[in-house]
Amino acid sequence: MCGIVGAIANRNVVSTLIEGLSRLEYRGYDSAGVAVLNQSSIERVRAVGRVSAMTEKANEVNLNGQVGIGHTRWATHGGPVERNAHPHATSKVAVVHNGIIENFRELRDALEAKGVVFESDTDTEVVAQLLTDVMKTEQDPVKAVAAVLPKLHGAFALGIVFAGVMYRDWE
Ligand code: GLU
């Protein structure tokens, strides 16, 4: 069963994300990854196997950001290889996901017909690609999520970060 963590702080949150994933290791998983906002861009590190393998890679590249999400994956759609590990990302969003998007095939087919190129075999990547597609016309992240969620069928939990969005002024 997968694990999802998220963190936001006035300091680098990578060690917090890794600590959170380590605490979830007992649930079982095949790969792990984190994505952070560094300035306005998304940076991510993923690895097959233990959280410690992913941590080594994160340290090698000095992964650094004040907002981030992390995931330990239990594959349901697509084998346990790095390109299927979460977070799934575009230049606009990074997504971690627990569960199954039951209608991912039809959503993927529709996006591919529009020219979207997928990197993974997962059901999860349709969420990242759909959000990116919607954000061509709707830049507000909350409204973009509200537009995408009704299109998704299944039982799932999502964690999402948006490039360039460190906080939002809530009304
Ligand atoms: N269905 C997703 C995948 O295969 C998420 C699996 C999970 O909950 O870890 O990547």
Side-chain angles (χ1 to χ4, degrees), residues 13 40 48 58 76 94-95 116 146 159:
V13 294
S40 59
V48 171
T76 63
V95 174
V116 174

Side-chain angles (χ1 to χ4, degrees), residues 1-5 17-18 21 28-36 42-51 53-55 57-58 63 68-90 93-101 104 108 119-128 155-161:
M1 188 186 288
C2 94
I4 289 177
V5 296
L17 294 170
I18 288 168
L21 292 179
Y29 63 102
D30 56 62
S31 53
V34 295
V36 293
I42 292 167
E43 291 186 8
R44 70 181 160 156
V45 169
R46 302 175 293 170
V48 171
R50 304 300 301 263
V51 169
M54 189 272 294
T55 303
K57 289 175 83 171
L63 193 68
I69 50 179
H71 189 263
T72 47
R73 177 175 188 237
W74 187 287
T76 63
H77 292 65
V81 295
E82 186 172 321
R83 73 191 166 81
N84 289 333
H86 300 211
H88 290 283
T90 67
V93 299
V95 174
V96 291
H97 162 224
N98 177 14
I100 293 173
I101 311 296
F104 87 98
R108 179 169 174 146
E119 292 179 347
S120 79
D121 308 315
T122 63
D123 51 338
T124 307
E125 193 183 351
V126 295
V127 182
F156 51 84
L158 297 166
I160 308 168
V161 291

Side-chain angles (χ1 to χ4, degrees), residues 25 37 39 52 134:
E25 284 191 289
L37 298 187
Q39 307 294 336
S52 58
V134 166

